[in-house]
Amino acid sequence: MDPGDDWDEWKGLLRDAGVEKDARVHDAQHTAATLLLEQGVDISVVQEILGHS
């Protein structure tokens, strides 16, 4: 398994979605956390989703 495959797939998803900014996967994690918290999802659930302790 090539570790670059995920990166290439991520970049392809960004391109297909018309995202012009060069975003990292880590940026998407922050966005997901923010959106979940704004929707009232409990912080412990958000941590679990993100794999944080």
Side-chain angles (χ1 to χ4, degrees):
M1 180 180 257
D2 183 346
D5 288 346
D6 285 344
W7 183 252
D8 293 339
E9 187 171 340
W10 171 249
K11 293 301 183 177
L13 287 169
L14 291 175
R15 184 183 57 252
D16 293 347
V19 176
E20 294 180 13
K21 182 180 182 204
D22 187 30
R24 304 168 300 163
V25 175
H26 189 77
D27 299 327
Q29 287 179 313
H30 282 272
T31 301
T34 299
L35 293 172
L36 290 167
L37 292 170
E38 286 183 354
Q39 291 181 12
V41 176
D42 187 84
I43 186 73
S44 62
V45 174
V46 175
Q47 288 174 317
E48 178 78 21
I49 291 170
L50 298 177
H52 294 161
S53 55

